[in-house]
Amino acid sequence: MQSGNDIKGAHDVALSLGHDLEKYQQVQIPTQPKSRVRSRWFRFRLFIGLALCYELLKFTLNNHGSQQDASESWAYHGFGNEAVIGEKAEKLFLSVPDEDSAIAASRAYATHPHIASSKEDFEDSKVILKLFQEEFNILSPEREPVFPAGTEASRNATLNIAHLKEPTAWIDIYYPVMNTPLDRSLQVLGDDGKSIWDADLVEDGDPLDPDAAKYRDAVPTFHGLSKNGTAEGQLIYANYGTKEDYDELEAKGVDFTGKIVLTRYNALFRGLKIKGAQERGAVAVLIYSDPRDDGIVTVENGYEPYPLGPARNPTSVQRGSVQFISSYPGDPTTPGYPAYENATRTEGENIPKIPSLPISWANAQRLFKEISSSDARILNGKSSERKVKLVNHVDDKVMPIYNTLAVIPGHIKDESVLVGCHRDAWVMGAADPTSGTVSLHEIIRGFGLLVRQGWKPLRNVVIASWDAEEYGLVGSTEWAEDFSDWISNNVVAYLNTDVSSAGSQWGTSASPSLANLIKQVALEISHPTDAGRTLWDARTDVGPFKAGKGDEAVMQAFDAKQAELMSSSTGIPALGSGSDYTAFLQRLGIASLDQGFGPTPFDAPYHYHSIYDTQRWQEVYADPGFHRHVAVAKHLGVTALRLTDAIILPLNTTEYALELSEYLEKIEDLAVSLSMDSSVNFHSLRHAIHKVQVASAKLDNEKAAAEEDFKKKLSKLPKPGSLSHNRILLWLRKLLHHFPGISDPIREFIKAAKRVQATNAKLVAFEKGFLHEDGIKDREWYRHLGVAPGKWLGYGATTLPSIYDALVYDEDAVFAQVEVKRVADTLEKLAKTITP
């Protein structure tokens, strides 16, 4: 371990050399042939600027990568104040996230509607912009930094990050096609075709929750990106509307042609429920929230409905996008490229062709009376005798959305850690996404204190408040498509939170390379409500309500999910989709994570996308005292700091490589269950995975050796203020004119620095190694062959997805073998890429 004096000296050397280079770039070079002058100048800037200053500074903000004691502090040369690094930086950061501040922020954001593209949404984007400016000491420009996407100002804001010397913030405006509700109705028709029952499609807005009462119809109950139209037909119940549910009904002889399908929420992304019905000839879909999915906290078990008690309000309705998210996310009309105002647009292939409506449990109960059955919620295939009429009139149009971004520039200009959360909500969204925004708010405050104390991160920190996530991850996807090259070349990891607090149980999903870092930080963060435990322990927490009996299938599913989580090698499952990490991970190959507290069957039901996702519900049931909001902020912030300031990036490729064997075992078991194991040979894939594991083990050795060598060579550099140090500066001056040979200590140090740089490049390249330009069949937008959202899940992850889809959905052993070879070839290339 380097002594405090050695680290202090190295940091001063780095900064004084950096300032000296800046100063001497203004020196007049003697007249020489232009080609020679340009050649020397180019060689000087490339070699010295990138190798010496870049890599020397890369070292000096050490020590998270190896988790050594980095409590030492030192003076920034020429500034006269103490630098903030390592453990000191973490302690300072952890002193900031605060429950009172979090509650105040939540009350500011979650007490008014802010649906994407609304006036309130734009005002909130500017509130976040002001927060960035105030916390990061950014001077407000004369003209508001609000830039239409595709303009020079918008392009430069991201592409010029490498040239920043001070923090900056701005708003990008994209122009996707979305919809807003006009009018809607739902009726049961008599034999004469006239209505005998009209559904009240407005939530009741009980005055015990003042925000719900005030805004009960501010955002009508509708589906984002739903099809405009009217439909009429017999009603048929399809349970969750999974592929398996539809297949079971078809096996019973059900013909969906001309039918209106009634399904319940959960199990898969809502848009795929409609896709399944549409492909079978149905004319419309209704989706409701079923108390069976609420665990034991139900009216049936004696709990009062919200706001009187914790059970579900029977009039609550879940709004939400019905985009086919497993096909591609983002603006439906600009797949793969950004939604500029003047963009060339397609018809949109990932949105429904039949209308739909979300309805309440109260309305669903009435509709079940139309289905002749002793228990209408049994999947028996019976249709209603009377017809149902559905009207869904929406206005489809190009609508502006507002991404707010900020950058804290680091010493290394071409490496960035990206942290994000979306801001838009269907109504108030105290849990989704305001709880995530509140945690991000506390992270911003913590980073602001560090900046004011003199902290300059080793790598750039980019923070994003995304817009229009609720319509289909639109804001993050459009930015990712707009700046795909920059992101691929610069972003080392993406950290996401969406709903940071909606229940008792902490959960995180991530790229396996981040799993060890996530766990390590979680073991150091205190449990939000139990001082004797850690945040990592909160993975097994359940809610406070214990009396009553839950639906057997729902409770079994919860137990099975918990058992699978506890038995996994990392305790951290793979990422599917449904939030803003999607484009970064599954299209661009950026290691990513998502986290937050969610509900269990023993928590108050979460009124997802309802008017009852309010500040009152959050403070009474989801997170009394806002301790969970703060715990997420602390964990995400410290994780970002360790990624930002480590010499060697804390990405564990070996953990990932070993997990690939588990992915393969699941696929082999699947092939056996489908009686395809004799037709599909997995030997080549098993061999390729072994090669990745061997290469990763070698990379582990190189990581340790490169860091040790770097520190050793650094210790031999002259200290600032010494005679040798002054000679180095003189040497640099001469270099501008003569480019002489380099002394041995400098040569050896630059060599060690380049070794560290090359090692980090291989770590970042690991996740990208799963990308294939042809993507996944039928959903080519997704290019990651390691993990993707399940084709008929949306939210849930499928590992080795192209092989899985070939086996399960194509039922084609020959095609599955083709995919095995394609994945094996991809992993063979990955092994070569990361081999030191």
Side-chain angles (χ1 to χ4, degrees), residues 542-589:
V542 295
F545 301 102
K546 300 298 190 292
K549 184 179 180 182
D551 179 84
E552 185 176 353
V554 170
M555 301 303 286
Q556 286 177 351
F558 174 74
D559 291 339
K561 185 177 180 182
Q562 286 296 104
E564 183 179 5
L565 181 67
M566 293 302 110
S567 65
S568 71
S569 58
T570 63
I572 298 174
L575 285 162
S577 187
S579 198
D580 289 306
Y581 52 79
T582 300
F584 302 105
L585 172 63
Q586 291 152 348
R587 184 166 177 82
L588 301 180

Side-chain angles (χ1 to χ4, degrees), residues 568-809:
S568 71
S569 58
T570 63
I572 298 174
L575 285 162
S577 187
S579 198
D580 289 306
Y581 52 79
T582 300
F584 302 105
L585 172 63
Q586 291 152 348
R587 184 166 177 82
L588 301 180
I590 306 299
S592 301
L593 73 83
D594 186 45
Q595 68 163 286
F597 282 86
T600 70
F602 308 94
D603 282 291
Y606 169 30
H607 290 77
Y608 185 41
H609 292 174
S610 161
I611 61 167
Y612 287 113
D613 182 6
T614 61
Q615 185 66 22
R616 180 184 184 274
W617 180 83
Q618 181 68 250
E619 292 191 28
V620 173
Y621 293 112
D623 188 15
F626 273 51
H627 307 294
R628 294 178 182 127
H629 287 73
V630 169
V632 169
K634 289 180 176 180
H635 184 275
L636 204 63
V638 170
T639 302
L641 284 172
R642 294 187 181 179
L643 281 162
T644 299
D645 283 346
I647 299 175
I648 297 292
L649 285 165
L651 296 174
N652 191 322
T653 59
T654 296
E655 183 63 60
Y656 204 149
L658 293 172
E659 197 154 320
L660 290 175
S661 293
E662 296 180 18
Y663 295 175
L664 178 56
E665 286 176 10
K666 290 179 180 178
I667 283 289
E668 289 177 321
D669 291 344
L670 177 65
V672 171
S673 70
L674 297 172
S675 300
M676 292 189 190
D677 52 309
S678 61
S679 303
V680 183
N681 189 324
F682 294 98
H683 176 74
S684 63
L685 181 53
R686 188 177 302 107
H687 182 65
I689 290 173
H690 177 69
K691 281 191 172 182
V692 172
Q693 292 168 347
V694 170
S696 184
K698 292 179 180 178
L699 183 56
D700 284 344
N701 293 334
E702 177 61 11
K703 284 161 56 177
E707 184 168 0
E708 182 180 354
D709 183 48
F710 188 85
K711 294 175 180 179
K712 181 179 178 181
K713 299 299 168 52
L714 178 83
S715 68
K716 295 181 180 180
L717 290 180
K719 305 301 184 289
S722 68
L723 180 61
S724 298
H725 174 259
N726 294 333
R727 284 174 178 167
I728 290 178
L729 298 184
L730 178 62
W731 172 77
L732 285 170
R733 296 186 186 101
K734 291 179 179 178
L735 185 65
L736 285 167
H737 305 292
H738 305 294
F739 206 88
I742 303 174
S743 64
D744 287 344
I746 296 293
R747 180 188 294 114
E748 291 302 311
F749 174 73
I750 292 173
K751 183 179 177 181
K754 286 185 174 182
R755 185 180 181 184
V756 168
Q757 182 182 6
T759 301
N760 280 331
K762 290 183 182 296
L763 291 170
V764 174
F766 187 90
E767 193 81 52
K768 294 183 182 68
F770 292 93
L771 301 182
H772 194 286
E773 61 182 5
D774 294 337
I776 302 171
K777 179 179 175 286
D778 297 332
R779 48 206 185 111
E780 288 75 14
W781 187 93
Y782 289 97
R783 303 191 302 183
H784 200 297
L785 300 186
V787 65
K791 186 175 183 178
W792 285 103
L793 292 175
Y795 288 126
T798 296
T799 52
L800 301 179
S802 65
I803 303 172
Y804 183 96
D805 289 0
L807 290 170
V808 175
Y809 302 126

Side-chain angles (χ1 to χ4, degrees), residues 367-561:
L367 293 177
F368 277 123
K369 293 179 180 179
E370 297 299 319
I371 301 174
S372 179
S373 171
S374 58
D375 184 347
R377 289 188 286 178
I378 293 176
L379 197 66
N380 55 23
K382 293 184 178 180
S383 303
S384 64
E385 295 183 5
R386 288 187 283 230
K387 289 186 176 181
V388 172
K389 182 178 181 181
L390 175 156
V391 175
N392 178 56
H393 288 156
V394 293
D395 184 13
D396 298 300
K397 57 188 176 183
V398 174
M399 300 166 65
I401 63 169
Y402 314 96
N403 289 337
T404 308
L405 297 103
V407 179
I408 305 171
H411 291 296
I412 302 176
K413 299 302 184 182
D414 61 352
E415 293 182 7
S416 298
V417 175
L418 179 59
V419 183
C421 174
H422 77 94
R423 183 188 62 254
D424 64 299
W426 283 112
V427 192
M428 278 79 72
D432 183 15
T434 297
S435 64
T437 297
V438 168
S439 293
L440 188 66
H441 179 277
E442 296 305 291
I443 292 170
I444 293 166
R445 291 179 58 242
F447 284 178
L449 175 62
L450 296 182
V451 169
R452 291 190 297 275
Q453 292 293 317
W455 176 66
K456 183 169 184 177
L458 183 55
R459 298 173 178 88
N460 305 316
V461 178
V462 182
I463 304 176
S465 174
W466 307 116
D467 201 3
E469 187 269 0
E470 296 294 5
Y471 275 89
L473 324 181
V474 180
S476 58
T477 299
E478 299 314 306
W479 189 76
E481 292 175 341
D482 198 359
F483 297 102
S484 57
D485 289 342
W486 183 88
I487 293 166
S488 295
N489 294 328
N490 289 272
V491 176
V492 301
Y494 174 62
L495 313 182
N496 188 72
T497 186
D498 186 334
V499 179
S500 72
S501 174
S504 297
Q505 189 170 94
W506 183 71
T508 180
S509 301
S511 300
S513 58
L514 286 167
N516 286 355
L517 174 63
I518 292 168
K519 180 177 180 178
Q520 184 175 350
V521 177
L523 288 169
E524 297 173 23
I525 302 296
S526 296
H527 189 283
T529 57
D530 184 349
R533 300 165 66 218
T534 68
L535 181 61
W536 185 250
D537 296 324
R539 296 177 308 136
T540 59
D541 285 2
V542 295
F545 301 102
K546 300 298 190 292
K549 184 179 180 182
D551 179 84
E552 185 176 353
V554 170
M555 301 303 286
Q556 286 177 351
F558 174 74
D559 291 339
K561 185 177 180 182

Side-chain angles (χ1 to χ4, degrees), residues 353-366:
K353 308 302 180 186
I354 60 175
S356 64
L357 282 176
I359 62 172
S360 66
W361 167 235
N363 284 333
Q365 284 179 291
R366 173 62 183 82

